[in-house]
Amino acid sequence: MDDLLKQFLVEGHELVQQASEDLLALERSPGDADLIDSAFRSIHTLKGSVGLFDLGPMSEALHAAEDLLGALRDGSLQQTHPRIDALLASVSQSERWLEALERVGELPSDAVAVGAQLTRQLRAELAGATAQTGAAASAVDTAWVAAFMARQDVRTDSPVVAVRYRPDSQSYFNGDDPLAVVRGVPRLIALEVEAPPADPVNYDAFTCTLAFHLISDAPVDAVRAALRFVADQAEIVPVEPAAAQRPNAGARSLRVDAARIDQLVDLVDELVVAKNGLALVTGVAQAGAEMAEVVARLRETQASIDRIAGGLHRGVMAVRMTPLGPVMRRLPRLVREAAASLGKTVDLSIEGHEVEADKAIADGVFEPLLHILRNAVDHGVEASHARVRAGKPARATVVLRARQRADRVVIEVSDDGRGFDPTAIRAAAARKGLMSDEALSGLDDAQALELIFLPGFSTADGVSDLSGRGVGMDAVRAAVGRMGGQVSLSGAPGVGATVALSLPSTMVMSRIVLVRAGGERFGVAIDDLIETVQVAGDCIVPVRHGRAFVLRDRTIPLLDLADLLGLAGGEDAEGHRKVLIVGSRGEPIGVAVGSIDERLEVALRPLSGLLARAPGVLGTTMMGDGQVLMVLNLTELIG
Amino acid sequence: MTVSKDGDRVALVGDCHVEEAETLFGVMAEVREVDLTHCRHMHGAVLQVLLSCRPKIVGAPDDPFLAKWVNPTLAALT
């Protein structure tokens, strides 16, 4: 990618971000001249940069947005909701285009049509007219594609086609059978269909209220052909495969405070001095000095190299530390879109912009947070009338709060919605057949909450446009777990819910303990362990297919690490067994190992390439003797 | 007749056409379960009644399209 484009992408995201923040703030304080000014400047600058590249549709849309903002600024037009919506739509679209540029280096194939529609809408607002509504206006809106793909967890290596088919309300009269149309679409890989709940009194069986979302991996022309008779009711969007890999793709560049680089430079200077110190020692040794003196001087040099190496490590870590603010600031607009699509009003307040975390953590936390926020808006926050009935303000409040706690970053999402209801959660789990009734009734409330993390769980009664099926808290837990973090839930029914993520603020230094299993050496993250115990062989009793032992009046299931890893050589059951107690889903579980050796602080490298998704492995580290050590994620291994 | 009612259960059999949507909606208040085992195709309007009224679905349709794409959605609603 050429340098100019790279620079443009970095700036572009910031400008889009700034404009979007200003526009959202304008909604709260309409007509604020400073905000209009700031939004205008961002859009103006962005438009100028866009002009350097061959990005016609984007340039035209931004030009129209700039003109509209200009009219708001000089007072010739009043600020209205549709005008802010049109501006936000252009900002959102610009962001999607920037992402496409980052991924594939060009605008998507529908950019001309989408851009023209945006421009029309903005120009219509500028002319004081209301923009066309209905099908035309929704042509701009392709946000549903991403939401639908995420909901269905569609990951694909080849292009697919996403379709939103909303049959005309009169289509039954016109002789259409929407389900037969959908049946005719070749090579379906996902389908969602919904209809609003029936009103028992006024139900009209002949007014079509169906809506379909579907994905096909057939060529787009084949999908178009299948839908040719309902072309005016179906939006057909080709989706490039790279879309699924976006989180890792962009934003690998880092902006660093110059002072931090200066510190590193100072340390490197010191390192050079220390290195010269070594030459001095060599000279002294060659001159036939006493061994004791040589050793003393070596010690001195070693001490200073130690100090400098530590400083360098901290310095490099500090360079990678980035405030969470930019990531968190992308969320309000997305929450607003989510709430609007559900007809809810939600205020998102953000605290802790300044809290810093490793770049990889800051980037990696975006998707899980977005997911949790969408869940909060969709499942947590009640409809306005239900809120009023419950004596709450109609506008819901969601708080996103980041805090530094020792060497970890804690990010909480709290809403004032209906909270987690353990009874409803048990009932939903029973309905979905995730657990037997007896097992469910044996769970206390805290354990019932944990059911939310089971794959396939969702308490939603219906499938909404937003976070119905396919998106699970299991995915959130897995993503956070990969960064060495944990997810916890709290809250009271009726009052609200809090989802807290606890993440290491630096990804790189981890405390591990060395263990042996099946004759091999592994690392285990100390954060995973509750304690380590020694259990006498005769205290281990077989329980059905497994084994268990009693620890402080509690029966704890016992697994063998060698078995978990598929290694030969489960240790002998006679003597004492060394057991790691792991907290898995709130339940302690024992994992027997051959031996428990020393504790270390290591630089953990996440797995990459083919191994990136290997389950149960946190990463690797290089040992002092040059061997590579695998560090295990016990919770995932057991899961 | 492809919508047949037996006690508190209703069965959809064969091809269910658009006019059956109203019949089905009419009996929806009295039935608890809908059996789709022998349903070959249901018109969109019939599907809409099931989506809107959310009865309990019993039986997996023989028809592969309904079994794969429609039944899970209906089952998830109840």
Side-chain angles (χ1 to χ4, degrees), chain A residues 256-465:
Chain A
V256 179
D257 185 351
R260 288 180 170 173
I261 299 290
D262 291 346
Q263 276 171 8
L264 284 175
V265 171
D266 289 349
L267 281 165
V268 170
D269 287 348
E270 285 184 47
L271 190 62
V272 172
V273 174
K275 188 208 74 177
N276 293 342
L278 274 179
L280 211 65
V281 179
T282 321
V284 170
Q286 264 171 350
E290 289 286 316
M291 195 54 159
E293 194 196 338
V294 174
V295 168
R297 284 183 179 239
L298 266 178
R299 277 229 179 85
E300 208 175 290
T301 316
Q302 186 199 359
S304 71
I305 290 180
D306 264 359
R307 183 182 53 81
I308 297 162
L312 274 174
H313 188 262
R314 276 190 303 278
V316 173
M317 286 307 104
V319 165
R320 289 184 54 89
M321 294 298 268
T322 156
L324 292 172
V327 170
M328 303 207 317
R329 278 199 295 271
R330 290 166 62 194
L331 293 162
R333 195 183 69 234
L334 299 167
V335 167
R336 177 188 182 275
E337 280 171 10
S341 77
L342 294 164
K344 297 177 180 175
T345 45
V346 175
D347 288 329
L348 176 64
S349 83
I350 295 186
E351 298 168 22
H353 289 281
E354 71 291 348
V355 172
E356 292 194 330
D358 186 89
K359 173 82 173 140
I361 302 275
D363 288 345
V365 84
F366 175 75
E367 297 266 324
L369 277 182
L370 179 59
H371 194 83
I372 293 167
L373 283 166
R374 282 187 170 150
N375 270 341
V377 170
D378 195 6
H379 304 316
V381 168
E382 313 91 328
S384 305
H385 59 87
R387 292 182 59 84
V388 172
R389 218 169 30 233
K392 300 181 186 180
R395 291 185 81 89
T397 307
V398 177
V399 182
L400 173 62
R401 186 183 296 121
R403 278 175 299 150
Q404 184 85 42
R405 195 188 280 165
D407 59 348
R408 295 183 82 81
V409 173
V410 177
I411 308 177
E412 289 175 349
V413 175
S414 307
D415 64 61
D416 63 350
R418 59 172 72 92
F420 299 113
D421 179 354
T423 319
I425 291 171
R426 278 197 198 89
R431 226 167 31 232
K432 307 230 149 72
L434 296 175
M435 247 194 213
S436 70
D437 285 352
E438 305 92 82
L440 283 171
S441 56
L443 299 179
D444 62 32
D445 285 356
Q447 290 165 329
L449 275 190
E450 291 283 314
L451 294 169
I452 289 178
F453 293 111
L454 290 181
F457 182 91
S458 161
T459 47
D461 292 328
V463 176
S464 63
D465 206 24

Side-chain angles (χ1 to χ4, degrees), chain A residues 19-74:
Chain A
S20 129
E21 277 169 38
D22 293 335
L23 290 169
L24 288 174
L26 264 176
E27 277 201 314
R28 286 191 296 276
S29 42
D32 185 313
D34 289 342
L35 290 171
I36 296 180
D37 227 31
S38 166
F40 180 86
R41 275 199 308 274
S42 301
I43 298 275
H44 175 77
T45 313
L46 185 60
K47 187 204 72 176
S49 313
V50 165
L52 298 174
F53 306 92
D54 180 23
L55 303 170
M58 189 168 177
S59 173
E60 277 165 38
L62 286 169
H63 197 148
E66 183 191 8
D67 288 350
L68 180 53
L69 271 167
L72 294 180
R73 186 166 69 158
D74 65 25

